[in-house]
């Protein structure tokens, strides 16, 4: 593969340099897949499941086509369906709530904690009703939700605890990996993720044998067992393809180095941007009963001039991402839900102020310095 042309632009994400570095090992795995003649969930897919199970400590890792499919499959495998309410945070990607709707249940949207952007346990408790069947927190950006009070709440009321851990590969709390604090969780391997493919892919994590058995069945149309052509229930076509398995196995080899590099870049941002506070806020790490290890998937800042800052950086060739420009309570597709009517002031404020800056292993120190210099110039010009 040839090198990319030099450019002064700093995209919000690129993995081109990493892909060039990985290409010799990746090519060997792709040849293995081509020679096998099986291109959807073959030997490489099973190898990836074993590798992710070992990495996370999960008893079962079930590969699926993408993270959203994983959420739908996990919810159904855990017995969530029509008539049930599932408490989810109002500040997250749309798939967290849409997956609940797709299984026939109703998402109840609650507020998040400042800084960590994770589900507020007090808000979750206040939203409980007789129909509440599950709680599904989301681990966003760099840290896990505070799982201790959420697990206590689930245990107290006999609720299913699930985790949208799509962003959370490598995150742990109390020695337990994200996705394994309750009945199960889901990883996404979307290209921008800490462990990303060249397309869509996902993984269901669980220590529950019954949930694992049903999840494996649901990902292949509800088939009783591989190749049996006997279908016990209506499922989905959500098999991991061998190309993504090859990419993910290759990138998994340097995941720890990638996580460490992300931490270095985040620390550089911390140092360079500290002087801009309070005009530019760097959200605090949530105080947790059992502190977890951060994994910097996204470097988020907050400012009252989010859109102006994003436009200024764009004019200078720097990509950014607004996370998330509206809370789920304001999404038209969810407006009919009673659970969308809870006040969510923290989520609303974050939707107007939070901005993701470039953060990925291919990013250089010099590029971080340029982003920070542009931010300093913006605030000097607008002070």
């Amino acid at each position: 593969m040839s090198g990319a042309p030099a450019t002064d632009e700093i995209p919000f994400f690129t993995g081109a340099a990493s892909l060039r570095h990985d290409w010799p090992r990746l090519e060997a795995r792709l040849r293995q897949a081509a020679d096998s003649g099986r291109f959807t969930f073959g030997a490489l897919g099973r190898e990836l499941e074993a590798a992710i199970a070992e990495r996370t400590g999960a008893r079962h890792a079930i590969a699926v086509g993408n993270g959203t499919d994983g959420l739908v499959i996990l919810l159904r495998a855990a017995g969530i369906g029509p008539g049930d309410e599932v408490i989810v945070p109002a500040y997250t990607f749309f798939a967290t709530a849409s997956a609940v709707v797709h299984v026939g249940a109703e998402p109840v949207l609650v507020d998040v904690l400042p800084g960590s952007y994770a589900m507020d346990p007090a808000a979750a408790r206040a939203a409980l009703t007789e129909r509440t069947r599950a709680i599904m927190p989301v681990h966003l950006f760099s840290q896990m939700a505070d799982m201790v009070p959420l697990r206590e709440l689930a245990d107290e009321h006999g609720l299913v605890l699930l985790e949208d851990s799509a962003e959370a590969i490598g995150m742990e709390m109390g020695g337990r990996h994200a996705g394994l604090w309750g009945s199960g969780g889901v990883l996404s391997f979307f290209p921008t993720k800490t462990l990303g493919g060249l397309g869509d892919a996902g993984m269901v994590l669980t220590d529950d044998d019954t949930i694992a058995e049903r999840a494996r069945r649901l990902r292949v149309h509800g088939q009783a067992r591989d190749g049996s052509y006997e279908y016990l229930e209506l499922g989905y076509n959500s098999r991991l393809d061998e190309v993504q398995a090859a990419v993910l196995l290759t990138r998994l080899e340097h995941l720890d180095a990638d996580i460490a590099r992300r931490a270095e870049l985040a620390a550089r941002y911390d140092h360079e941007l500290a002087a801009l506070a309070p005009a530019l806020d760097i959200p605090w790490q949530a105080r947790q009963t059992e502190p977890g290890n951060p994994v910097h998937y996204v470097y988020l800042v907050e400012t009252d001039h989010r859109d102006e800052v994003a436009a200024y950086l764009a004019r200078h060739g720097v990509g950014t991402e607004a996370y998330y420009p509206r809370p789920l309570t304001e999404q038209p597709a969810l407006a009919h839900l009673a659970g969308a009517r809870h006040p969510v002031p923290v989520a609303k404020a974050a939707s107007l102020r939070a901005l993701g800056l470039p953060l990925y292993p291919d990013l250089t120190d010099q590029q971080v310095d340029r982003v920070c210099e542009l931010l300093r110039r913006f605030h000097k010009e607008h002070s």
Side-chain angles (χ1 to χ4, degrees):
M1 300 182 67
S2 61
T7 175
D8 291 333
E9 293 191 355
I10 305 173
F12 180 67
F13 172 81
T14 177
S18 292
L19 182 58
R20 289 193 296 274
H21 177 269
D22 289 342
W23 185 250
R25 300 188 314 285
L26 174 56
E27 184 178 28
R29 286 192 168 100
L30 292 173
R31 289 185 182 279
Q32 177 186 340
D35 291 343
S36 75
R38 179 162 183 173
F39 308 124
T40 57
F41 196 65
L44 292 175
R46 290 182 172 82
E47 184 181 347
L48 179 65
E49 286 186 329
I52 293 296
E54 180 178 4
R55 170 68 196 227
T56 62
R59 181 175 173 86
H60 303 279
I62 300 112
V64 293
N66 56 71
T68 303
D69 282 359
L71 288 172
V72 173
I73 288 169
L74 176 61
L75 284 159
R76 279 193 60 189
I80 306 302
D84 295 333
E85 290 181 348
V86 180
I87 297 175
V88 301
Y91 187 73
T92 178
F93 184 59
F94 184 69
T96 308
S98 69
V100 176
V101 177
H102 277 301
V103 302
E106 181 171 332
V108 177
L109 309 175
V110 301
D111 211 1
V112 295
L113 295 168
S116 73
Y117 308 106
M119 181 186 289
D120 182 345
R125 181 178 291 275
L128 294 176
T129 73
E130 292 182 354
R131 292 174 54 203
T132 305
R133 179 74 187 285
I135 303 173
M136 190 161 70
V138 184
H139 311 306
L140 285 181
F141 307 132
S142 64
Q143 63 186 325
M144 290 178 61
D146 193 349
M147 295 305 297
V148 173
L150 291 172
R151 181 164 180 170
E152 290 174 350
L153 179 62
D155 290 346
E156 179 183 345
H157 293 273
L159 305 175
V160 178
L161 179 61
L162 304 172
E163 297 167 66
D164 181 344
S165 43
E167 300 180 2
I169 184 93
M171 295 185 193
E172 295 181 357
M173 183 181 295
R176 185 176 300 160
H177 195 279
L180 298 174
W181 274 78
S183 295
V186 170
L187 299 175
S188 169
F189 302 126
F190 183 74
T192 62
K193 294 294 192 285
T194 306
L195 178 62
L198 292 183
D200 285 315
M203 192 78 69
V204 175
L205 304 178
T206 184
D207 290 334
D208 187 303
D209 294 346
T210 301
I211 288 176
E213 181 181 3
R214 191 176 184 199
R216 290 190 177 98
R217 184 167 69 237
L218 287 169
R219 70 175 170 183
V220 191
H221 301 283
Q223 188 173 234
R225 62 184 183 280
D226 191 22
S228 71
Y229 291 99
E230 178 187 8
Y231 301 93
L232 304 182
E233 59 182 319
L234 293 176
Y236 311 92
N237 181 18
S238 189
R239 293 166 295 190
L240 179 74
D241 70 69
E242 289 289 88
V243 170
Q244 301 312 323
V247 173
L248 294 166
L249 282 166
T250 302
R251 290 184 165 172
L252 187 60
E253 295 171 356
H254 52 77
L255 177 61
D256 287 332
D258 286 351
I259 290 173
R261 178 59 180 159
R262 287 173 176 272
E264 290 174 358
L265 294 168
R268 196 173 189 92
Y269 273 126
D270 287 346
H271 180 265
E272 295 294 323
L273 297 179
L276 294 181
L280 190 77
D281 293 332
I282 301 172
W284 45 263
Q285 295 286 316
R287 278 177 269 179
Q288 299 161 328
T289 304
E290 295 183 65
N293 64 307
V295 174
H296 294 277
Y297 165 56
V298 170
Y299 189 88
L300 213 67
V301 297
E302 282 198 13
T303 171
D304 290 334
H305 306 285
R306 192 265 310 282
D307 294 342
E308 296 93 325
V309 170
Y312 182 86
L313 291 175
R315 288 197 298 272
H316 291 83
V318 176
T320 60
E321 187 77 22
Y323 287 101
Y324 293 94
R326 62 176 69 191
L328 294 183
T329 50
E330 297 181 9
Q331 289 294 347
L334 303 177
H336 65 288
L337 299 174
R341 299 176 194 145
H342 291 282
V344 290
V346 178
K348 178 61 177 178
S351 75
L352 298 173
R353 303 184 76 244
L355 185 68
L357 302 179
L359 183 75
Y360 43 88
D362 287 7
L363 198 67
T364 67
D365 291 355
Q366 292 73 25
Q367 288 175 316
V368 170
D369 292 346
R370 173 166 168 74
V371 175
C372 294
E373 176 57 27
L374 287 169
L375 288 168
R376 285 191 290 267
R377 280 167 48 186
F378 173 89
H379 285 87
K380 184 177 180 180
E381 293 171 10
H382 293 78
S383 61

